[in-house]
């Protein structure tokens, strides 16, 4: 099957996907265009287009020649291309026999914008030479949400997603100048953005894709370190009543407001584990210290500074990766320690649960071990520190480790305090590898070969060699 290559820039009005072949096809022949995702792009059958059969993604965006069966030109015009894809044109007889099949690879060159997390703003470029009339609408979208809407001569913040509220701006005379570019403040996430221009009737006049690549600083540590710092500095002069908020993807990690930390506003996962500088607003050093990080803390963290009125003054993301703790031990050792240290002075109602493969390895509750709850495989083989509440050291001692103990162990530390401020939750995974014993056995073999004729010894040959055998117990 022949393959054509077509290259266009994102923002062009249309592109032609060429496909030419057999002349004077029968009137009942069928022409079908498909994309690489098995979506029907366009169907021509029984002498006319069949728009009801095409995927909605291509609705009102495709066109073919009227006399295609006569001329043998089955080329497809695709409006407003934004995505690189491969397309296949297939011509069938009435009986379903393939008469022609050709492939076209469409490459859409999408402009890339690269910035560092922490910049104040970035410009997503989109311009047109079309003469635009009043009543046109400009809509910017990311992969899932409305980013900005310009309609009836002004921006419509009530129509944009709240994630972008107060962070976007377009030129006031965008329709007159043809400059539909978008200014996005405080970018923190890599994403693709599409600018679509509609006329008064809702028909698409222009469509362009822009990819924004936000470079986020990476911090990597091993599970078990006492603490890790998420760097965040700004040269802005911050007001003394500003609010600083650190968040992971879903939860509040730390809140600094009215000149002090607000532990009652942070999620229980981070209770007692975070710290910022006392004079952060003066120095501009907004870095967050996270104590006792575990693999569960592998997240993208965002630091946002708000004015007293709630306006965003600064925003920066930091990517933290905490490597999973791995412990190796030789089989035959008396014991092995699965380490887990967290905040000191744990509440008396805390529950410590070590588990593996849905089996209870060790349970500590109401100030004592609950050995009756552990699986029989671990009976009389586990131990926790006596002063774990005071020290925060909830490490597990596993006695007489064997090859059967290989695997993943998880520890959950939690309580059920009705007071949200006193509630905590900690979690850690430890991978245990027990290496089997190796015994090396050397075997020496000596072979003698004797021979003779007429009752006499005529040769005496000796061969010696050794064999090294490794047996893993």
């Amino acid at each position: 099957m022949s393959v054509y290559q077509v290259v266009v820039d994102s923002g062009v009005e249309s592109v032609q996907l060429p496909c030419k072949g057999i002349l004077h096809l029968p009137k009942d022949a069928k022409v079908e265009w498909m994309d690489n995702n098995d979506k029907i792009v366009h169907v021509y059958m029984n002498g006319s287009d069949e728009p009801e059969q095409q995927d909605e993604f291509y609705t009102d965006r495709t066109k073919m020649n009227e006399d295609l069966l006569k001329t043998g030109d089955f080329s497809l015009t695709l409006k407003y291309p934004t995505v690189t894809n491969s397309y296949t044109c297939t011509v069938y007889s009435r009986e379903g026999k393939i008469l022609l099949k050709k492939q076209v690879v469409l490459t859409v060159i999408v402009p890339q914008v690269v910035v560092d997390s922490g910049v104040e703003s970035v410009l997503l470029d989109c311009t047109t030479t079309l003469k635009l009339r009043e009543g046109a609408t400009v809509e910017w979208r990311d992969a899932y949400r409305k980013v900005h809407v310009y309609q009836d001569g002004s921006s419509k913040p009530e129509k944009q997603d709240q994630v972008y509220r107060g962070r976007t701006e377009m030129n006031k005379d965008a329709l007159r100048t043809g400059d539909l570019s978008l200014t996005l403040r405080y970018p923190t996430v890599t994403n693709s953005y599409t600018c679509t221009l509609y006329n008064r009737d809702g028909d698409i006049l222009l469509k362009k894709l822009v990819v924004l690549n936000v470079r986020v600083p990476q911090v990597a540590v091993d599970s078990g370190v006492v603490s890790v710092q998420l760097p965040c500095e700004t040269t802005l002069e911050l007001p003394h009543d500003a609010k600083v908020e650190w968040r992971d993807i879903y939860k509040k990690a730390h809140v600094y407001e009215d000149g002090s930390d607000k532990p009652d506003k942070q999620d229980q996962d981070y209770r007692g584990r975070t710290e910022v500088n006392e004079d952060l607003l003066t120095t501009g050093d907004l870095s967050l210290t996270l104590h006792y990080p575990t693999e569960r803390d592998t997240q993208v963290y965002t630091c946002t500074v708000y004015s007293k009125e709630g306006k965003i003054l600064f925003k920066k993301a930091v990517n933290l990766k905490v490597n999973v703790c791995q412990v190796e031990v030789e089989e035959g050792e008396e014991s092995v320690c699965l380490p887990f240290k967290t905040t000191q002075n744990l509440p008396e109602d805390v529950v410590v649960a070590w588990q593996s493969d849905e089996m209870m390895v060790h349970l500590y509750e109401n100030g004592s071990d609950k050995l009756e709850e552990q699986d029989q495989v671990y009976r009389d083989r586990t131990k926790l520190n006596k002063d774990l509440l005071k020290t925060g050291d909830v490490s597990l001692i596993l006695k007489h480790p064997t090859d059967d103990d290989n695997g993943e162990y998880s520890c959950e530390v939690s309580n059920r305090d009705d007071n949200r401020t006193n509630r905590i939750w900690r979690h850690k995974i430890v991978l245990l590898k027990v290496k089997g014993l190796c015994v090396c056995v050397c075997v020496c073999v000596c072979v003698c070969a004797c021979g003779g004729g007429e009752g006499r010894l005529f040769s005496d040959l000796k061969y010696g060699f050794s064999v090294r055998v490794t047996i893993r117990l």
Side-chain angles (χ1 to χ4, degrees):
M1 182 171 58
S2 58
V3 179
Y4 292 96
Q5 302 285 335
V6 178
V7 181
V8 295
D9 291 321
S10 178
V12 297
E13 184 177 352
S14 65
V15 60
Q16 187 178 70
L17 308 181
C19 181
K20 295 182 180 181
I22 308 168
L23 298 175
H24 303 292
L25 284 170
K27 294 181 180 181
D28 54 5
K30 173 186 175 183
V31 182
E32 182 181 76
W33 278 88
M34 299 273 293
D35 69 10
N36 194 43
N37 300 314
D38 292 329
K39 291 182 179 179
I40 297 177
V41 180
H42 193 101
V43 176
Y44 179 94
M45 188 169 58
N46 298 324
S48 63
D49 298 320
E50 300 287 336
E52 65 277 2
Q53 293 193 37
Q54 70 181 160
D55 189 271
E56 62 181 2
F57 181 73
Y58 295 101
T59 300
D60 297 327
R61 295 179 56 210
T62 59
K63 183 181 178 182
M64 294 183 67
N65 297 325
E66 294 182 0
D67 56 349
L68 70 167
L69 297 181
K70 181 180 179 180
T71 62
D73 186 354
F74 315 116
S75 302
L76 179 75
T77 299
L78 177 64
K79 298 179 181 178
Y80 321 115
T82 58
V83 181
T84 294
N85 209 330
S86 63
Y87 298 85
T88 303
C89 174
T90 309
V91 181
Y92 300 91
S93 67
R94 183 174 185 177
E95 295 75 27
K97 180 182 178 182
I98 296 177
L99 305 176
L100 176 72
K101 193 171 187 178
K102 290 189 177 183
Q103 185 178 9
V104 181
V105 175
L106 173 63
T107 301
V108 181
I109 300 176
V110 179
Q112 307 279 324
V113 180
V114 181
V115 296
D116 291 320
S117 179
V119 298
E120 184 176 352
S121 64
V122 60
L123 182 70
L124 306 181
D125 180 71
C126 183
T127 57
T128 179
T129 57
L130 294 174
K131 292 183 179 180
L132 304 177
R133 299 180 179 180
E134 293 184 3
T137 298
V138 182
E139 182 180 274
W140 279 90
R141 295 184 64 95
D142 66 12
Y144 309 102
R145 298 161 296 205
K146 287 185 180 180
V147 177
H148 192 98
V149 178
Y150 180 95
Q151 192 175 33
D152 298 327
S154 64
S155 298
K156 303 295 180 183
E158 68 277 5
K159 294 187 177 183
Q160 70 182 157
D161 190 271
Q162 60 181 2
V163 172
Y164 295 99
R165 198 70 51 83
R167 296 176 54 210
T168 58
E169 185 179 354
M170 285 181 60
N171 295 326
K172 293 181 179 179
D173 55 353
L175 298 183
R176 183 182 64 81
T177 63
D179 187 355
L180 314 178
S181 302
L182 180 75
T183 298
L184 175 63
R185 298 189 182 94
Y186 319 114
T188 58
V189 180
T190 293
N191 212 330
S192 60
Y193 295 86
T194 304
C195 175
T196 308
L197 174 65
Y198 301 90
N199 64 15
R200 184 186 294 273
D201 299 323
D203 300 322
I204 296 176
L205 303 176
L206 171 74
K207 198 169 189 178
K208 182 178 180 180
L209 183 68
V210 180
V211 173
L212 172 62
N213 186 358
V214 181
R215 292 181 297 205
V216 178
Q218 310 284 319
V219 178
V221 295
D222 291 326
S223 179
V225 298
V226 176
S227 64
V228 60
Q229 187 179 70
L230 307 183
C232 182
E233 296 183 4
T234 178
T235 57
L236 296 174
E237 292 186 7
L238 301 175
H240 65 87
D241 55 359
K243 170 186 173 183
V244 181
E245 182 179 276
W246 277 90
R247 293 184 64 96
D248 65 18
I249 299 176
Y250 305 106
K251 306 178 292 290
K252 290 182 181 180
H254 193 98
V255 177
Y256 179 94
E257 192 175 16
D258 298 328
S260 63
D261 300 322
K262 302 296 179 183
D264 56 309
K265 293 186 178 182
Q266 70 182 156
D267 190 87
Q268 60 185 9
D269 286 17
Y270 299 99
R271 196 69 47 74
R273 296 175 56 216
T274 58
E275 184 180 351
V276 295
N277 298 325
E278 293 183 359
D279 55 351
L280 72 169
L281 296 180
T282 303
T283 63
D285 186 355
L286 315 175
S287 303
L288 179 74
T289 299
L290 177 62
H291 297 290
Y292 312 110
T294 71
E295 79 293 328
R296 185 178 172 84
D297 296 317
T298 294
Q299 296 249 19
V300 175
Y301 293 83
T302 305
C303 175
T304 309
V305 181
Y306 300 91
S307 68
K308 191 173 184 65
E309 295 74 31
K311 180 182 178 182
I312 296 176
L313 304 177
F314 176 79
K315 196 170 189 178
K316 182 179 180 179
V318 180
N319 193 355
L320 172 63
K321 176 174 173 47
V322 183
N323 299 318
V324 175
C325 178
Q326 300 190 42
V327 176
E328 289 190 0
V329 64
E330 294 280 356
E331 188 171 359
E333 292 289 335
E334 184 177 346
S335 64
V336 62
C337 177
L338 307 185
F340 187 11
K341 292 184 179 180
T342 185
T343 49
Q344 300 177 358
N345 299 317
L346 295 170
E348 293 183 0
D349 63 342
V350 78
V351 176
V352 180
W354 278 93
Q355 291 182 295
S356 179
D357 289 334
E358 298 183 355
M359 292 187 296
M360 182 60 70
V361 179
H362 195 105
L363 180 65
Y364 176 95
E365 189 175 15
N366 297 324
S368 63
D369 300 317
K370 303 295 181 182
L371 303 181
E372 67 277 6
E373 297 292 337
Q374 70 182 162
D375 191 271
Q376 60 180 1
V377 173
Y378 300 100
R379 194 67 51 84
D380 300 324
R381 296 178 56 213
T382 60
K383 182 182 177 182
L384 292 178
N385 296 321
K386 292 183 179 181
D387 56 350
L388 62 88
L389 296 183
K390 180 180 179 181
T391 63
D393 187 352
V394 294
S395 303
L396 178 75
I397 302 298
L398 178 62
K399 300 176 184 178
H400 314 301
T402 69
D403 184 65
D404 292 334
D405 295 320
N406 278 314
E408 181 179 291
Y409 292 77
S410 65
C411 179
E412 180 179 305
V413 181
S414 61
N415 69 342
R416 301 179 179 85
D417 198 301
D418 292 334
N419 187 340
R420 184 179 180 277
T421 305
N422 298 329
R423 210 174 298 162
I424 66 166
W425 198 91
R426 308 281 187 268
H427 185 271
K428 183 176 182 177
I429 291 176
V430 179
L431 295 179
L432 175 62
K433 181 178 181 181
V434 182
K435 296 184 289 185
L437 289 176
C438 294
V439 178
C440 295
V441 180
C442 291
V443 180
C444 293
V445 181
C446 184
V447 180
C448 295
C450 300
E454 297 180 357
R456 296 168 57 188
L457 180 65
F458 72 89
S459 68
D460 185 5
L461 303 176
K462 295 181 179 180
Y463 301 91
F465 59 92
S466 64
V467 179
R468 181 185 177 95
V469 180
T470 301
I471 302 174
R472 186 171 292 277
L473 300 179

